[in-house]
């Protein structure tokens, strides 16, 4: 389909549009950057603390024919870094069309002893507030808001996930703020949505759940994992122009797994997965 | 910059990050976690210290640390390398 026909269909031409992705040098953030890059967008990927292999990222973008991204070290929890980055984007590109708040950093909770108020507040500070702070700074510097603001969430707010108490709480805050932000920014023509990604094989999952989690789940049902590309495609779809009637929404990318990921399924498929469901005293007979 | 000055910066940010911490009683041969700091506190302390001292420490180096002395030494080394680089 030609670009004219895309335009007639209401689909944006992303050549020369500008997309900012925080935490964009790995996992979902990087996949999303590549997705936009393939469409010709100028992508800015942020990371904190020298955690990016810049040469490898530049090669990946070159391999898919995307414009070279800007890779910027910026602490999403620092208003000074945020302002400096946004000013830099304004000077270089003069526009910012999409902002994706992907960075998340929260306290892992193993026991109730890990419940500290400041850890919860800091988890929200790092993982949620940047969605607001960046949006504000973009308006302050550019004079307009980005057309699209996307936050990344997870299944934690609705489903028990090991060690995830504060991560999930942060995501719950994000999802609620998304709805209110959409209300407040709607008159400005801004669409604010959250993409809730299910289990994704990323370094972040490994760091949160430990090295045994992925092999354990793969034993039972590897299709429960979604890929970073699938999440990226959902984000792309939300900002394509075709879904502009959607705002203030939390969209799940999960292969439908939350419906059937439960103990009844384990029981129903116990023979298939060789799970001994007999009473403890009869096991081993 | 001296090692003591570096410790002064780190101690200030550690006191800000962790509630009810008696900064003067800190034994630097121990870990920050021994004084009630959680993982986010560690990030905050190191991040603010890097900003104030105008030096960057690779995360891979930080993961090897076991106590506060190790952190001070790492900052000290990085600052010396930075200053040596600017002098040449």
């Amino acid at each position: 389909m030609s670009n004219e026909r895309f335009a007639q269909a209401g689909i944006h031409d992303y050549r020369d549009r500008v997309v900012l992705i925080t935490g964009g040098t790995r996992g979902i953030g990087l996949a999303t950057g590549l997705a936009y890059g393939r469409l010709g967008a100028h992508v800015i990927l942020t990371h904190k603390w020298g955690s990016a292999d810049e040469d490898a990222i530049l090669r990946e973008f070159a391999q898919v024919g995307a414009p070279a991204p800007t890779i910027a070290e910026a602490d999403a929890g620092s208003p000074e870094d945020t302002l400096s980055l946004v000013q830099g984007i304004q000077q270089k590109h003069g526009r910012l069309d999409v902002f994706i708040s992907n960075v998340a950093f929260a306290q892992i909770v193993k026991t109730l002893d890990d419940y500290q108020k400041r850890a919860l507040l800091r988890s929200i500070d790092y993982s949620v507030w940047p969605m607001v702070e960046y949006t504000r700074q973009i308006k302050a510097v550019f004079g307009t808001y980005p057309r699209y603001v996307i936050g990344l969430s997870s299944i934690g707010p609705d489903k028990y996930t090991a060690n995830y108490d504060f991560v999930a709480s942060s995501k719950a805050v994000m999802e609620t703020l998304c709805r209110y932000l959409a209300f407040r920014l709607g008159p400005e023509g801004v669409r604010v949505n959250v993409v809730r990604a299910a289990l994704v094989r990323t370094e972040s999952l490994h760091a949160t759940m430990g090295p045994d989690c992925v092999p354990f789940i793969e034993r039972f049902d590897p299709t429960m994992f979604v890929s970073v590309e699938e999440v990226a495609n959902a984000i792309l779809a939300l900002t394509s122009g075709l879904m502009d009637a959607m705002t203030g929404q939390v969209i799940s990318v999960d292969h439908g797994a939350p419906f059937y990921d439960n103990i009844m399924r384990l029981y129903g498929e116990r023979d298939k997965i060789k799970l001994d469901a007999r009473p403890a005293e009869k096991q081993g007979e | 910059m001296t090692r003591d000055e570096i410790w002064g910066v780190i101690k200030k940010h550690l006191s800000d990050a962790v509630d009810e911490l008696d900064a003067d009683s800190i034994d630097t041969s121990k870990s920050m976690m021994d004084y009630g700091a959680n993982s986010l506190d560690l990030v905050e302390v190191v991040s603010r210290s890097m900003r104030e001292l105008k030096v960057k420490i690779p995360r891979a180096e930080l993961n090897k640390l076991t106590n506060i002395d190790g952190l001070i030494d790492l900052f000290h080394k990085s600052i010396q390398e930075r200053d040596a680089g600017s002098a040449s």
Side-chain angles (χ1 to χ4, degrees):
Chain A
M1 191 186 277
S2 70
N3 289 325
E4 269 183 33
R5 296 189 70 174
F6 272 125
Q8 285 168 4
I11 300 172
H12 296 314
D13 181 349
Y14 264 93
R15 290 173 302 176
D16 295 326
R17 296 214 180 188
V18 181
V19 178
L20 168 61
I21 306 170
T22 62
T25 57
R26 297 187 285 191
I28 292 171
L30 179 56
T32 304
L34 285 164
Y36 280 104
R38 280 191 201 92
L39 299 180
H42 298 288
V43 176
I44 299 100
L45 309 171
T46 77
H47 66 97
K48 176 177 170 164
W49 227 331
S51 53
D53 183 343
E54 296 196 19
D55 290 337
I57 293 169
L58 291 172
R59 278 196 300 275
E60 282 196 75
F61 272 71
Q63 276 165 10
V64 301
T70 300
I71 302 169
E73 187 168 330
D75 181 346
S78 162
E80 294 83 14
D81 279 10
T82 300
L83 177 60
S84 175
L85 176 71
V86 173
Q87 285 173 334
I89 296 171
Q90 204 270 343
Q91 283 157 17
K92 183 172 180 182
H93 296 287
R95 65 186 294 169
L96 181 48
D97 302 279
V98 180
F99 164 50
I100 296 165
S101 190
N102 175 61
V103 74
F105 196 62
Q107 176 72 27
I108 300 305
V109 173
K110 300 220 172 134
T111 73
L112 205 52
D113 290 340
D114 293 325
Y115 270 51
Q116 293 176 330
K117 184 169 78 173
R118 71 171 186 276
L120 173 61
L121 296 177
R122 204 163 274 155
S123 300
I124 293 170
D125 201 16
Y126 283 145
S127 306
V128 181
W129 194 250
M131 187 169 78
V132 175
E133 184 66 25
Y134 266 95
T135 302
R136 268 192 186 155
Q137 295 278 23
I138 291 166
K139 164 72 170 175
V141 169
F142 285 86
T144 58
Y145 291 103
R147 185 180 177 119
Y148 301 101
V149 174
I150 305 277
L152 269 296
S153 182
S154 71
I155 57 175
D158 285 350
K159 282 179 69 70
Y160 168 75
T161 308
N163 309 334
Y164 231 53
D165 314 41
F166 286 178
V167 180
S169 300
S170 305
K171 300 303 188 185
V173 171
M174 172 181 270
E175 292 181 1
T176 303
L177 265 184
C178 159
R179 298 183 178 103
Y180 282 89
L181 269 177
F183 163 72
R184 294 199 181 277
L185 295 179
E188 306 274 349
V190 182
R191 281 82 177 166
V192 185
N193 289 296
V194 161
V195 170
R196 192 192 258 195
L199 296 169
V200 186
R201 292 181 188 87
T202 60
E203 289 176 40
S204 180
L205 181 72
H206 183 99
T208 307
M209 304 298 177
D212 297 333
C213 179
V214 169
F216 178 83
I217 295 171
E218 284 180 339
R219 256 181 70 197
F220 296 108
D221 187 355
T223 69
M224 285 180 64
F225 289 102
V226 298
S227 69
V228 292
E229 291 79 16
E230 287 172 321
V231 181
N233 285 343
I235 294 169
L236 205 56
L238 277 169
T239 68
S240 66
L242 292 179
M243 298 177 82
D244 279 5
M246 292 180 68
T247 188
Q249 304 296 316
V250 177
I251 293 100
S252 291
V253 181
D254 59 18
H255 295 170
F259 173 73
Y260 54 74
D261 172 23
N262 61 28
I263 202 156
M264 286 306 293
R265 185 181 175 209
L266 274 182
Y267 181 73
E269 296 189 0
R270 62 194 182 281
D271 294 332
K272 179 180 160 191
I273 59 176
K274 297 182 176 45
L275 182 66
D276 190 343
R278 294 173 297 169
E281 59 273 18
K282 289 188 182 293
Q283 289 187 17
E285 287 177 1
Chain B
M1 185 169 231
T2 69
R3 210 175 167 280
D4 279 345
E5 287 168 331
I6 293 168
W7 168 226
V9 169
I10 295 171
K11 185 166 60 173
K12 176 181 70 177
H13 293 304
L14 181 55
S15 298
D16 288 343
V18 179
D19 303 329
E20 297 173 2
L21 176 64
D22 178 8
D24 293 329
S25 71
I26 297 173
D27 176 354
T28 56
S29 69
K30 295 186 176 178
S31 154
M32 283 192 263
M33 290 195 158
D34 290 328
Y35 290 98
N38 58 45
S39 59
L40 296 191
D41 294 329
L42 264 55
V43 168
E44 191 81 352
V45 170
V46 175
S47 182
R48 289 188 181 187
S49 299
M50 285 200 295
R51 193 177 292 271
E52 183 166 342
L53 295 168
K54 295 182 173 43
V55 68
K56 286 183 188 163
I57 313 281
R59 183 175 272 180
E61 294 293 318
L62 291 163
N63 290 341
K64 299 174 194 169
L65 299 177
T66 57
N67 59 24
I68 299 170
D69 275 328
L71 181 64
I72 299 168
D73 290 337
L74 195 50
F75 268 105
H76 194 223
K77 178 178 164 230
S78 297
I79 290 169
Q80 285 180 325
E81 285 171 356
R82 178 199 68 197
D83 294 345
S86 358
S88 57

